[in-house]
Amino acid sequence: MKPFAYLILLVLFVSCTVKVQPIEYGTDDCDFCKMGIVDNKHAAQLVTTKGKNYKFDAIECMLHYIEQQNQPLTVYQHLLVADLLNPGVLIPAEEANFIISKNIPSPMGAFLSATKTKEQATKLLEEYTGDHYTFATLRQQLSHH
């Protein structure tokens, strides 16, 4: 009997691991605004330490959701944002570089995009104009509105 009980515990433990579920573009809905997620250049995703996935059609929706939940960021195992230059690729929000440019529309109208490196962000800003933010400065900016 004991080995069997062990097996059940193992299965339970394995099923609780924190996994990022891929966003199904055109199928999944935003967990903040409830619109369909179709833009793979501006999507975002949160995964809690308990393994629950929240998907967003725009980075600004994820940020508004975080504000609304009013919990420490430590409840999230993953905070991911789409890389504007690699559509469909999600990168860690805390390491990403954010730009707000009126010349690069995003789904919910915040004109907010993310890139992996500061160099990429700077290059985009030279081309499209706008402002550069880190995850921390972006959150400050949005909480003032």
Side-chain angles (χ1 to χ4, degrees):
M1 178 59 198
K2 230 177 188 153
F4 184 66
Y6 224 49
L7 185 68
I8 289 174
L9 268 178
L10 187 67
V11 169
L12 281 174
F13 181 72
V14 171
S15 66
C16 292
T17 53
V18 175
K19 276 202 181 76
V20 178
Q21 296 163 355
I23 295 173
E24 303 286 337
Y25 294 96
T27 304
D28 286 339
D29 288 333
C30 177
D31 279 304
F32 182 75
C33 74
K34 307 304 178 211
M35 283 177 52
I37 304 174
V38 289
D39 184 344
N40 63 359
K41 292 192 198 87
H42 292 98
Q45 189 166 356
L46 289 174
V47 185
T48 67
T49 51
K50 292 184 174 138
K52 184 133 178 54
N53 277 255
Y54 295 96
K55 300 172 184 181
F56 305 95
D57 66 334
I59 298 167
E60 55 266 33
C61 280
M62 179 181 85
L63 292 164
H64 293 312
Y65 179 86
I66 291 170
E67 285 288 308
Q68 197 182 56
Q69 295 306 303
N70 202 14
Q71 291 179 302
L73 286 181
T74 50
V75 304
Y76 305 111
Q77 184 79 38
H78 299 285
L79 293 103
L80 301 166
V81 293
D83 182 349
L84 179 68
L85 301 175
N86 290 296
V89 176
L90 296 173
I91 54 177
E94 293 101 330
E95 297 164 22
N97 287 266
F98 296 90
I99 57 175
I100 293 179
S101 170
K102 294 282 184 227
N103 299 308
I104 307 173
S106 67
M108 297 308 293
F111 301 97
L112 175 60
S113 306
T115 62
K116 205 171 173 71
T117 68
K118 191 170 183 180
E119 292 73 38
Q120 290 169 327
T122 304
K123 205 169 167 200
L124 284 165
L125 289 172
E126 282 169 11
E127 192 178 337
Y128 294 100
T129 71
D131 297 301
H132 176 266
Y133 297 91
T134 63
F135 188 62
T137 59
L138 183 64
R139 289 189 67 214
Q140 284 169 346
Q141 172 81 9
L142 285 180
S143 65
H144 294 183
H145 287 292

